[in-house]
Amino acid sequence: MRSVADTSVPKEANMIAKIEENVSMVRQGKATVLVGSQWGDEGKGRITDMLAENADVVARFSGGPNAGHTVIVGDEKYELHLIPSGILHPEKQNIIGNGTVVYPPAIVKELEGLKNRGIQTHNLFLSENAHVIMPYHLQLDRLEEERKGDDSIGTTKKGIGPTYTDKVARRGIRIGDMLDLAFFTEKVDENLAYANAYIQHNFPEEPLLTTNDIVEEYKPLIEVLRPHVADTSLMLDQARKEGKVILFEGAQGTLLDLDHGTYPFVTSSNPTAGAVCTGCGFGPAHIDEVIGIIKAYTTRVGHGPFPTELEDETGEQLRQKGHEFGVTTQRARRCGWFDIPIMKFAIRVNGLTQLALTKLDVLTGFETIKVCTHYEVNGERIEHLPTNGKLLKDAVPVYKDVPGWTEDLTDVRTFDDLPKAARDYVLMLEEIAEIPISIVSVGPKRVQAVLRTP
Ligand code: GDP
């Protein structure tokens, strides 16, 4: 076997060709779901971008502009918040499903940013049933977080929680409602009266918004969005019947799921695989593969329990080496070692069929790598992730030490060229996961991946 040092690095163009050829090695069904397996920021954007190569349609099914995806193509870096990463491929349909929430100023800014860089956007379709984030939702989000002080959830303050609250309370405004200005104005009037009464009662110092301000702000944005509005469930069904390859791109991560995550420190929607069905109007029996994106260590943004968190020099080393600062908020991410009970949990609740392990390159240089194998809670051994917040808070991680490696991985393109310790790390996780790790990502660029035949 060649050592990593003498691995010859093909030119960028050859590397792209090789990766594009090899992407077909990843077992992709007609409908594949990609989900984050930890607390988000696993590198879903870059994996979606890579697999979008083979897809005809890329769809988002939950969340809002709180998600931040970074995709690097060649020397260009794209930061996408709501628009699917498939937008970088002009021939593909990109769908924002009904399960998402859309902030018109942000999506229009994102669209214009892409257009200014020569990216075509005619291929973006927005569900008429997605809910609209209104300016008073942002206001409510900020006020509630400020009121909670030290007990705040650590939301991105983008109005997502209050928008989903209005959806569940059956008073929300949907994209389709905006298309008729008189109807939209009526709905804003009704909802604003409700929001303002709440704000006035709880935050008497806070200035109140007016219907006119909101309608005037949104009017030009509605015209930008109008040509993109569609019945996206119908589009997905047509695509499926035509035998097209569909990729569902998750946002956030499993542990931020409203039902299955570390409640209440979660997002207000379901980033887990089941939400594809409700969030896109796509039947479960049509889903073939569910790929979990999992980082080679663990990170989390915001508050809430995090058993393997390292609040020391090692945690700082992971943060600096992994550039663990949020795309959307620039917040420093909390960092810690890999957590096996979390991986097993993600496999279970999402029904994962494969894993994509990202950021393995960041572990280069650690003499010893620790992996949490199980927890001890009140002296008792627990193999699974406790979903009771109190139990998880008290869970003490038990670690296994594995040898690290010193070689740079970023130019490695085949599994055999990885240093033995890195290969052993992947194989150890794969054996425990009992599903294949079919992608190992060794850098942020599209080409920086090792693809393995499942
Ligand atoms: P997402 O929200 O899951 O798409 O995650 P982000 O894109 O916010 O975070 C991933 C960050 O890590 C981005 O800055 C990516 O460019 C970067 N990234 C993704 N995969 C890798 C990898 O394998 N190695 C390194 N070093 N960086 C990566």
PDB file of all heavy atoms in Angstrom, residues 135-163:
ATOM      1  N   PRO A 135     -42.691  40.013   9.971  1.00  0.00           N
ATOM      2  CA  PRO A 135     -41.820  40.812  10.845  1.00  0.00           C
ATOM      3  C   PRO A 135     -42.173  40.680  12.334  1.00  0.00           C
ATOM      4  O   PRO A 135     -41.287  40.689  13.187  1.00  0.00           O
ATOM      5  CB  PRO A 135     -42.036  42.246  10.349  1.00  0.00           C
ATOM      6  CG  PRO A 135     -42.452  42.090   8.917  1.00  0.00           C
ATOM      7  CD  PRO A 135     -43.231  40.809   8.853  1.00  0.00           C
ATOM      8  N   TYR A 136     -43.483  40.501  12.643  1.00  0.00           N
ATOM      9  CA  TYR A 136     -43.825  40.372  14.066  1.00  0.00           C
ATOM     10  C   TYR A 136     -43.379  39.035  14.643  1.00  0.00           C
ATOM     11  O   TYR A 136     -43.208  38.889  15.844  1.00  0.00           O
ATOM     12  CB  TYR A 136     -45.331  40.611  14.324  1.00  0.00           C
ATOM     13  CG  TYR A 136     -46.263  39.883  13.397  1.00  0.00           C
ATOM     14  CD1 TYR A 136     -46.632  38.567  13.634  1.00  0.00           C
ATOM     15  CD2 TYR A 136     -46.776  40.506  12.267  1.00  0.00           C
ATOM     16  CE1 TYR A 136     -47.496  37.894  12.788  1.00  0.00           C
ATOM     17  CE2 TYR A 136     -47.639  39.838  11.399  1.00  0.00           C
ATOM     18  CZ  TYR A 136     -47.989  38.530  11.657  1.00  0.00           C
ATOM     19  OH  TYR A 136     -48.832  37.863  10.800  1.00  0.00           O
ATOM     20  N   HIS A 137     -43.131  38.034  13.802  1.00  0.00           N
ATOM     21  CA  HIS A 137     -42.586  36.763  14.301  1.00  0.00           C
ATOM     22  C   HIS A 137     -41.144  36.957  14.783  1.00  0.00           C
ATOM     23  O   HIS A 137     -40.737  36.404  15.796  1.00  0.00           O
ATOM     24  CB  HIS A 137     -42.629  35.687  13.207  1.00  0.00           C
ATOM     25  CG  HIS A 137     -44.015  35.239  12.877  1.00  0.00           C
ATOM     26  ND1 HIS A 137     -44.456  35.085  11.581  1.00  0.00           N
ATOM     27  CD2 HIS A 137     -45.060  34.896  13.663  1.00  0.00           C
ATOM     28  CE1 HIS A 137     -45.715  34.670  11.605  1.00  0.00           C
ATOM     29  NE2 HIS A 137     -46.100  34.561  12.848  1.00  0.00           N
ATOM     30  N   LEU A 138     -40.385  37.762  14.041  1.00  0.00           N
ATOM     31  CA  LEU A 138     -39.007  38.058  14.454  1.00  0.00           C
ATOM     32  C   LEU A 138     -39.006  38.830  15.777  1.00  0.00           C
ATOM     33  O   LEU A 138     -38.205  38.566  16.675  1.00  0.00           O
ATOM     34  CB  LEU A 138     -38.276  38.884  13.382  1.00  0.00           C
ATOM     35  CG  LEU A 138     -37.629  38.064  12.282  1.00  0.00           C
ATOM     36  CD1 LEU A 138     -38.588  37.787  11.151  1.00  0.00           C
ATOM     37  CD2 LEU A 138     -36.412  38.787  11.724  1.00  0.00           C
ATOM     38  N   GLN A 139     -39.951  39.790  15.836  1.00  0.00           N
ATOM     39  CA  GLN A 139     -40.061  40.609  17.038  1.00  0.00           C
ATOM     40  C   GLN A 139     -40.384  39.725  18.257  1.00  0.00           C
ATOM     41  O   GLN A 139     -39.740  39.831  19.306  1.00  0.00           O
ATOM     42  CB  GLN A 139     -41.193  41.610  16.780  1.00  0.00           C
ATOM     43  CG  GLN A 139     -41.238  42.797  17.689  1.00  0.00           C
ATOM     44  CD  GLN A 139     -42.429  43.703  17.319  1.00  0.00           C
ATOM     45  OE1 GLN A 139     -43.308  43.336  16.519  1.00  0.00           O
ATOM     46  NE2 GLN A 139     -42.461  44.892  17.895  1.00  0.00           N
ATOM     47  N   LEU A 140     -41.355  38.829  18.089  1.00  0.00           N
ATOM     48  CA  LEU A 140     -41.758  37.943  19.188  1.00  0.00           C
ATOM     49  C   LEU A 140     -40.613  37.019  19.610  1.00  0.00           C
ATOM     50  O   LEU A 140     -40.385  36.793  20.789  1.00  0.00           O
ATOM     51  CB  LEU A 140     -42.960  37.089  18.758  1.00  0.00           C
ATOM     52  CG  LEU A 140     -44.305  37.808  18.707  1.00  0.00           C
ATOM     53  CD1 LEU A 140     -45.331  36.984  17.943  1.00  0.00           C
ATOM     54  CD2 LEU A 140     -44.811  38.086  20.127  1.00  0.00           C
ATOM     55  N   ASP A 141     -39.892  36.492  18.621  1.00  0.00           N
ATOM     56  CA  ASP A 141     -38.772  35.583  18.889  1.00  0.00           C
ATOM     57  C   ASP A 141     -37.726  36.301  19.758  1.00  0.00           C
ATOM     58  O   ASP A 141     -37.270  35.789  20.790  1.00  0.00           O
ATOM     59  CB  ASP A 141     -38.155  35.168  17.538  1.00  0.00           C
ATOM     60  CG  ASP A 141     -37.433  33.836  17.613  1.00  0.00           C
ATOM     61  OD1 ASP A 141     -37.281  33.309  18.714  1.00  0.00           O
ATOM     62  OD2 ASP A 141     -37.016  33.327  16.542  1.00  0.00           O
ATOM     63  N   ARG A 142     -37.383  37.524  19.342  1.00  0.00           N
ATOM     64  CA  ARG A 142     -36.372  38.304  20.071  1.00  0.00           C
ATOM     65  C   ARG A 142     -36.849  38.607  21.490  1.00  0.00           C
ATOM     66  O   ARG A 142     -36.136  38.381  22.464  1.00  0.00           O
ATOM     67  CB  ARG A 142     -36.091  39.602  19.295  1.00  0.00           C
ATOM     68  CG  ARG A 142     -35.210  40.598  20.026  1.00  0.00           C
ATOM     69  CD  ARG A 142     -34.887  41.830  19.165  1.00  0.00           C
ATOM     70  NE  ARG A 142     -36.048  42.515  18.612  1.00  0.00           N
ATOM     71  CZ  ARG A 142     -36.830  43.359  19.302  1.00  0.00           C
ATOM     72  NH1 ARG A 142     -36.578  43.609  20.570  1.00  0.00           N
ATOM     73  NH2 ARG A 142     -37.864  43.960  18.714  1.00  0.00           N
ATOM     74  N   LEU A 143     -38.099  39.080  21.611  1.00  0.00           N
ATOM     75  CA  LEU A 143     -38.614  39.465  22.927  1.00  0.00           C
ATOM     76  C   LEU A 143     -38.669  38.278  23.875  1.00  0.00           C
ATOM     77  O   LEU A 143     -38.280  38.381  25.035  1.00  0.00           O
ATOM     78  CB  LEU A 143     -40.009  40.091  22.780  1.00  0.00           C
ATOM     79  CG  LEU A 143     -40.050  41.459  22.073  1.00  0.00           C
ATOM     80  CD1 LEU A 143     -41.491  41.855  21.748  1.00  0.00           C
ATOM     81  CD2 LEU A 143     -39.392  42.544  22.933  1.00  0.00           C
ATOM     82  N   GLU A 144     -39.119  37.128  23.363  1.00  0.00           N
ATOM     83  CA  GLU A 144     -39.233  35.937  24.220  1.00  0.00           C
ATOM     84  C   GLU A 144     -37.855  35.455  24.676  1.00  0.00           C
ATOM     85  O   GLU A 144     -37.688  35.059  25.825  1.00  0.00           O
ATOM     86  CB  GLU A 144     -39.974  34.800  23.506  1.00  0.00           C
ATOM     87  CG  GLU A 144     -41.446  35.062  23.257  1.00  0.00           C
ATOM     88  CD  GLU A 144     -42.289  35.156  24.536  1.00  0.00           C
ATOM     89  OE1 GLU A 144     -41.779  34.871  25.631  1.00  0.00           O
ATOM     90  OE2 GLU A 144     -43.460  35.553  24.414  1.00  0.00           O
ATOM     91  N   GLU A 145     -36.897  35.478  23.769  1.00  0.00           N
ATOM     92  CA  GLU A 145     -35.547  35.037  24.133  1.00  0.00           C
ATOM     93  C   GLU A 145     -34.947  35.976  25.171  1.00  0.00           C
ATOM     94  O   GLU A 145     -34.325  35.539  26.137  1.00  0.00           O
ATOM     95  CB  GLU A 145     -34.639  34.953  22.896  1.00  0.00           C
ATOM     96  CG  GLU A 145     -34.841  33.704  22.054  1.00  0.00           C
ATOM     97  CD  GLU A 145     -34.328  32.433  22.700  1.00  0.00           C
ATOM     98  OE1 GLU A 145     -33.122  32.132  22.599  1.00  0.00           O
ATOM     99  OE2 GLU A 145     -35.153  31.728  23.317  1.00  0.00           O
ATOM    100  N   GLU A 146     -35.171  37.299  24.975  1.00  0.00           N
ATOM    101  CA  GLU A 146     -34.631  38.273  25.930  1.00  0.00           C
ATOM    102  C   GLU A 146     -35.273  38.089  27.298  1.00  0.00           C
ATOM    103  O   GLU A 146     -34.609  38.135  28.323  1.00  0.00           O
ATOM    104  CB  GLU A 146     -34.895  39.701  25.426  1.00  0.00           C
ATOM    105  CG  GLU A 146     -33.885  40.124  24.373  1.00  0.00           C
ATOM    106  CD  GLU A 146     -34.258  41.427  23.661  1.00  0.00           C
ATOM    107  OE1 GLU A 146     -35.177  42.144  24.110  1.00  0.00           O
ATOM    108  OE2 GLU A 146     -33.618  41.703  22.633  1.00  0.00           O
ATOM    109  N   ARG A 147     -36.563  37.820  27.285  1.00  0.00           N
ATOM    110  CA  ARG A 147     -37.275  37.649  28.556  1.00  0.00           C
ATOM    111  C   ARG A 147     -36.756  36.435  29.325  1.00  0.00           C
ATOM    112  O   ARG A 147     -36.635  36.456  30.537  1.00  0.00           O
ATOM    113  CB  ARG A 147     -38.773  37.500  28.294  1.00  0.00           C
ATOM    114  CG  ARG A 147     -39.541  37.280  29.587  1.00  0.00           C
ATOM    115  CD  ARG A 147     -40.985  37.606  29.500  1.00  0.00           C
ATOM    116  NE  ARG A 147     -41.730  36.654  28.701  1.00  0.00           N
ATOM    117  CZ  ARG A 147     -43.053  36.646  28.662  1.00  0.00           C
ATOM    118  NH1 ARG A 147     -43.729  37.539  29.322  1.00  0.00           N
ATOM    119  NH2 ARG A 147     -43.682  35.759  27.930  1.00  0.00           N
ATOM    120  N   LYS A 148     -36.423  35.361  28.572  1.00  0.00           N
ATOM    121  CA  LYS A 148     -35.963  34.138  29.245  1.00  0.00           C
ATOM    122  C   LYS A 148     -34.551  34.284  29.812  1.00  0.00           C
ATOM    123  O   LYS A 148     -34.142  33.504  30.659  1.00  0.00           O
ATOM    124  CB  LYS A 148     -36.014  32.959  28.271  1.00  0.00           C
ATOM    125  CG  LYS A 148     -37.439  32.491  28.017  1.00  0.00           C
ATOM    126  CD  LYS A 148     -37.439  31.281  27.115  1.00  0.00           C
ATOM    127  CE  LYS A 148     -38.839  30.911  26.672  1.00  0.00           C
ATOM    128  NZ  LYS A 148     -38.904  30.531  25.260  1.00  0.00           N
ATOM    129  N   GLY A 149     -33.802  35.271  29.320  1.00  0.00           N
ATOM    130  CA  GLY A 149     -32.446  35.531  29.832  1.00  0.00           C
ATOM    131  C   GLY A 149     -31.583  34.287  29.785  1.00  0.00           C
ATOM    132  O   GLY A 149     -31.427  33.666  28.735  1.00  0.00           O
ATOM    133  N   ASP A 150     -31.066  33.879  30.960  1.00  0.00           N
ATOM    134  CA  ASP A 150     -30.155  32.728  31.028  1.00  0.00           C
ATOM    135  C   ASP A 150     -30.842  31.420  30.646  1.00  0.00           C
ATOM    136  O   ASP A 150     -30.179  30.433  30.338  1.00  0.00           O
ATOM    137  CB  ASP A 150     -29.589  32.588  32.448  1.00  0.00           C
ATOM    138  CG  ASP A 150     -28.530  33.642  32.712  1.00  0.00           C
ATOM    139  OD1 ASP A 150     -28.104  34.306  31.730  1.00  0.00           O
ATOM    140  OD2 ASP A 150     -28.148  33.812  33.890  1.00  0.00           O
ATOM    141  N   ASP A 151     -32.164  31.382  30.700  1.00  0.00           N
ATOM    142  CA  ASP A 151     -32.894  30.159  30.363  1.00  0.00           C
ATOM    143  C   ASP A 151     -33.319  30.139  28.902  1.00  0.00           C
ATOM    144  O   ASP A 151     -34.141  29.321  28.493  1.00  0.00           O
ATOM    145  CB  ASP A 151     -34.157  30.026  31.231  1.00  0.00           C
ATOM    146  CG  ASP A 151     -33.800  29.814  32.675  1.00  0.00           C
ATOM    147  OD1 ASP A 151     -32.745  29.200  32.921  1.00  0.00           O
ATOM    148  OD2 ASP A 151     -34.554  30.284  33.549  1.00  0.00           O
ATOM    149  N   SER A 152     -32.787  31.070  28.102  1.00  0.00           N
ATOM    150  CA  SER A 152     -33.203  31.137  26.697  1.00  0.00           C
ATOM    151  C   SER A 152     -32.833  29.846  25.976  1.00  0.00           C
ATOM    152  O   SER A 152     -31.922  29.119  26.394  1.00  0.00           O
ATOM    153  CB  SER A 152     -32.549  32.326  25.999  1.00  0.00           C
ATOM    154  OG  SER A 152     -31.178  32.070  25.834  1.00  0.00           O
ATOM    155  N   ILE A 153     -33.548  29.580  24.885  1.00  0.00           N
ATOM    156  CA  ILE A 153     -33.317  28.349  24.122  1.00  0.00           C
ATOM    157  C   ILE A 153     -32.074  28.511  23.254  1.00  0.00           C
ATOM    158  O   ILE A 153     -31.414  27.552  22.882  1.00  0.00           O
ATOM    159  CB  ILE A 153     -34.577  28.040  23.271  1.00  0.00           C
ATOM    160  CG1 ILE A 153     -35.735  27.685  24.202  1.00  0.00           C
ATOM    161  CG2 ILE A 153     -34.335  26.920  22.268  1.00  0.00           C
ATOM    162  CD1 ILE A 153     -37.080  27.573  23.545  1.00  0.00           C
ATOM    163  N   GLY A 154     -31.742  29.767  22.958  1.00  0.00           N
ATOM    164  CA  GLY A 154     -30.618  30.021  22.051  1.00  0.00           C
ATOM    165  C   GLY A 154     -31.097  29.920  20.618  1.00  0.00           C
ATOM    166  O   GLY A 154     -30.411  29.349  19.768  1.00  0.00           O
ATOM    167  N   THR A 155     -32.293  30.433  20.325  1.00  0.00           N
ATOM    168  CA  THR A 155     -32.787  30.373  18.949  1.00  0.00           C
ATOM    169  C   THR A 155     -31.986  31.351  18.097  1.00  0.00           C
ATOM    170  O   THR A 155     -31.277  32.213  18.624  1.00  0.00           O
ATOM    171  CB  THR A 155     -34.297  30.739  18.829  1.00  0.00           C
ATOM    172  OG1 THR A 155     -34.435  32.162  18.846  1.00  0.00           O
ATOM    173  CG2 THR A 155     -35.121  30.120  19.935  1.00  0.00           C
ATOM    174  N   THR A 156     -32.126  31.224  16.788  1.00  0.00           N
ATOM    175  CA  THR A 156     -31.402  32.138  15.899  1.00  0.00           C
ATOM    176  C   THR A 156     -32.156  33.471  15.777  1.00  0.00           C
ATOM    177  O   THR A 156     -31.748  34.339  15.038  1.00  0.00           O
ATOM    178  CB  THR A 156     -31.217  31.504  14.506  1.00  0.00           C
ATOM    179  OG1 THR A 156     -32.499  31.058  14.055  1.00  0.00           O
ATOM    180  CG2 THR A 156     -30.247  30.352  14.542  1.00  0.00           C
ATOM    181  N   LYS A 157     -33.256  33.601  16.477  1.00  0.00           N
ATOM    182  CA  LYS A 157     -34.086  34.830  16.505  1.00  0.00           C
ATOM    183  C   LYS A 157     -34.545  35.228  15.108  1.00  0.00           C
ATOM    184  O   LYS A 157     -34.601  36.384  14.761  1.00  0.00           O
ATOM    185  CB  LYS A 157     -33.338  35.976  17.184  1.00  0.00           C
ATOM    186  CG  LYS A 157     -32.959  35.694  18.634  1.00  0.00           C
ATOM    187  CD  LYS A 157     -32.640  36.990  19.377  1.00  0.00           C
ATOM    188  CE  LYS A 157     -32.131  36.742  20.779  1.00  0.00           C
ATOM    189  NZ  LYS A 157     -30.698  36.635  20.898  1.00  0.00           N
ATOM    190  N   LYS A 158     -34.836  34.242  14.295  1.00  0.00           N
ATOM    191  CA  LYS A 158     -35.283  34.526  12.935  1.00  0.00           C
ATOM    192  C   LYS A 158     -36.789  34.344  12.788  1.00  0.00           C
ATOM    193  O   LYS A 158     -37.306  34.228  11.684  1.00  0.00           O
ATOM    194  CB  LYS A 158     -34.521  33.661  11.933  1.00  0.00           C
ATOM    195  CG  LYS A 158     -33.064  34.062  11.907  1.00  0.00           C
ATOM    196  CD  LYS A 158     -32.277  33.417  10.822  1.00  0.00           C
ATOM    197  CE  LYS A 158     -30.832  33.874  10.851  1.00  0.00           C
ATOM    198  NZ  LYS A 158     -30.643  35.252  10.480  1.00  0.00           N
ATOM    199  N   GLY A 159     -37.483  34.252  13.905  1.00  0.00           N
ATOM    200  CA  GLY A 159     -38.948  34.211  13.861  1.00  0.00           C
ATOM    201  C   GLY A 159     -39.509  32.841  13.522  1.00  0.00           C
ATOM    202  O   GLY A 159     -40.711  32.699  13.282  1.00  0.00           O
ATOM    203  N   ILE A 160     -38.660  31.832  13.520  1.00  0.00           N
ATOM    204  CA  ILE A 160     -39.108  30.512  13.072  1.00  0.00           C
ATOM    205  C   ILE A 160     -40.084  29.875  14.066  1.00  0.00           C
ATOM    206  O   ILE A 160     -41.154  29.413  13.663  1.00  0.00           O
ATOM    207  CB  ILE A 160     -37.876  29.636  12.784  1.00  0.00           C
ATOM    208  CG1 ILE A 160     -37.176  30.249  11.561  1.00  0.00           C
ATOM    209  CG2 ILE A 160     -38.258  28.182  12.528  1.00  0.00           C
ATOM    210  CD1 ILE A 160     -35.812  29.759  11.306  1.00  0.00           C
ATOM    211  N   GLY A 161     -39.737  29.900  15.349  1.00  0.00           N
ATOM    212  CA  GLY A 161     -40.612  29.323  16.379  1.00  0.00           C
ATOM    213  C   GLY A 161     -41.998  29.971  16.342  1.00  0.00           C
ATOM    214  O   GLY A 161     -43.011  29.269  16.214  1.00  0.00           O
ATOM    215  N   PRO A 162     -42.069  31.312  16.444  1.00  0.00           N
ATOM    216  CA  PRO A 162     -43.405  31.950  16.403  1.00  0.00           C
ATOM    217  C   PRO A 162     -44.175  31.671  15.103  1.00  0.00           C
ATOM    218  O   PRO A 162     -45.403  31.580  15.119  1.00  0.00           O
ATOM    219  CB  PRO A 162     -43.084  33.446  16.539  1.00  0.00           C
ATOM    220  CG  PRO A 162     -41.790  33.470  17.299  1.00  0.00           C
ATOM    221  CD  PRO A 162     -41.022  32.269  16.818  1.00  0.00           C
ATOM    222  N   THR A 163     -43.498  31.474  13.989  1.00  0.00           N
ATOM    223  CA  THR A 163     -44.205  31.169  12.734  1.00  0.00           C
ATOM    224  C   THR A 163     -44.829  29.783  12.809  1.00  0.00           C
ATOM    225  O   THR A 163     -45.983  29.583  12.441  1.00  0.00           O
ATOM    226  CB  THR A 163     -43.239  31.266  11.528  1.00  0.00           C
ATOM    227  OG1 THR A 163     -42.588  32.528  11.583  1.00  0.00           O
ATOM    228  CG2 THR A 163     -43.975  31.117  10.201  1.00  0.00           C
TER     229      THR A 163
END
